[in-house]
Amino acid sequence: MVLCNSRLGLAQENGTISEDVVRSAFSATEEGFLTLVRRTRFIKPLIAAVGSCCLVGVIWRGTLYVANLGDSRAVVGSLGRSNKIVAEPLTIDHNASVEEVRQELISRHPDDSQIVVLKHGVWRIKGIIQVSRTIGDAYLKRQEFALDPSITRFRLSEPLRRPVLTAEPSIYTRALHPQDKFVIFATDGLWEHLTNQQAVEIVYNNPRRGIAKRLVRAALKQAAQKREMRYDDLKKVEKGVRRFFHDDITVVVVYIDHGLLQHRDASVPELSVRGFADSVGPSRFSDVTAIS
């Protein structure tokens, strides 16, 4: 959940982070992926149907910038009255299940009665996809990436007249205060099973080490309970079948060091945390130290 190296270079040139820099990072990522689709789609046609949500968080001189596409979510944990931890969502889910999102789509496509369809009890855009903003999913953005109609899973009822998805992120800024203790960044797989408040209470009431794994475990236990099965039995289900029990879950928890934030000339430590491991090593982001 960091800006790509080219955008870090832009930030270094400008001497700052801004909403425009973050927006440029999303645009560069989208255009880079669409270029890959254009080059490879005749060899791998289904690459035009590959897409992803995207969630980014940047702290710059006491201000938190969060940008998202899709239904991953960022939630801050802050100390409220009586010294109790309180959850505050920083993002809005770009999901057709949200009434506001459906109305936005309908207003953009007034001549398309099939822009949002209730299918098997789930609202989907064009009857296919739930999220309205993504990286990729090229066949729902540009006619040049149209898929063969014989691929029924991604078949459109009519040729694409205009993009139905967008890669324009929603960007939120927040001045950090001493009561802000941490931010949870997670995919929708976590939020399907834990409320915002449940998640921040788990983080606040447990040791930092392994906290992301603890959140994943809590969500999986809820998923198992909903299926009336044991957690240990759920873990034994093969990966290809697990999708029917719960969505994928990715979690990053960022603790806020207000002491470090007060020193504007302080450099970012050259450490990067590797996924699925409780270890650190030399950072591969050579430009990071230039952004304090």
Side-chain angles (χ1 to χ4, degrees), residues 59-64 76-79 85 174-183 204 208 254-266:
I59 296 176
W60 172 257
R61 293 185 175 176
T63 298
L64 172 64
V76 64
S78 303
L79 285 180
I85 199 70
R174 174 192 178 94
L176 292 172
H177 303 287
Q179 61 267 33
D180 298 329
K181 299 304 178 184
F182 53 83
V183 184
Y204 185 67
R208 291 189 178 191
V254 177
Y255 289 90
I256 302 171
D257 187 335
H258 291 278
L260 179 62
L261 292 177
Q262 291 174 359
H263 298 285
R264 294 194 173 187
D265 295 330

Side-chain angles (χ1 to χ4, degrees), residues 84-207:
K84 291 183 178 180
I85 199 70
V86 177
E88 181 182 341
L90 301 176
T91 55
I92 296 175
D93 298 347
H94 300 140
N95 190 299
S97 64
V98 179
E99 173 67 23
E100 180 181 345
V101 173
R102 293 200 299 275
Q103 291 304 319
E104 178 185 28
L105 288 164
I106 291 171
S107 66
R108 290 183 177 181
H109 304 270
D111 55 344
D112 188 351
S113 62
Q114 299 296 308
I115 188 62
V116 285
V117 178
L118 187 62
K119 191 174 182 180
H120 304 302
V122 178
W123 285 103
R124 295 183 182 275
I125 299 161
K126 304 297 289 184
I128 297 173
I129 190 170
Q130 288 182 267
V131 290
S132 61
R133 305 189 191 196
T134 67
I135 295 292
D137 294 303
Y139 79 110
L140 292 173
K141 294 175 177 175
R142 299 185 185 180
Q143 178 61 33
E144 66 175 295
F145 298 125
L147 292 170
D148 190 316
S150 65
I151 306 175
T152 57
R153 181 182 175 186
F154 304 109
R155 181 187 296 163
L156 294 170
S157 57
E158 59 183 5
L160 194 69
R161 286 178 288 177
R162 67 177 73 90
V164 297
L165 302 185
T166 177
E168 178 67 24
S170 293
I171 301 179
Y172 315 84
T173 61
R174 174 192 178 94
L176 292 172
H177 303 287
Q179 61 267 33
D180 298 329
K181 299 304 178 184
F182 53 83
V183 184
I184 303 171
F185 297 87
T187 58
D188 64 312
L190 182 81
W191 308 115
E192 285 178 1
H193 301 293
L194 296 179
T195 66
N196 297 340
Q197 188 61 32
Q198 286 173 329
V200 299
E201 287 178 1
I202 289 172
V203 174
Y204 185 67
N205 294 319
N206 289 282

Side-chain angles (χ1 to χ4, degrees), residues 202-217:
I202 289 172
V203 174
Y204 185 67
N205 294 319
N206 289 282
R208 291 189 178 191
R209 186 178 180 84
I211 195 61
K213 290 182 179 179
R214 188 181 293 272
L215 284 169
V216 172
R217 190 181 305 115

Side-chain angles (χ1 to χ4, degrees), residues 236-256:
K236 295 175 184 177
V237 178
E238 295 181 5
K239 290 183 178 180
V241 182
R242 285 273 285 275
R243 183 77 175 187
F244 296 100
F245 293 83
H246 65 84
D247 206 345
D248 59 281
I249 305 174
T250 301
V251 180
V252 174
V253 179
V254 177
Y255 289 90
I256 302 171

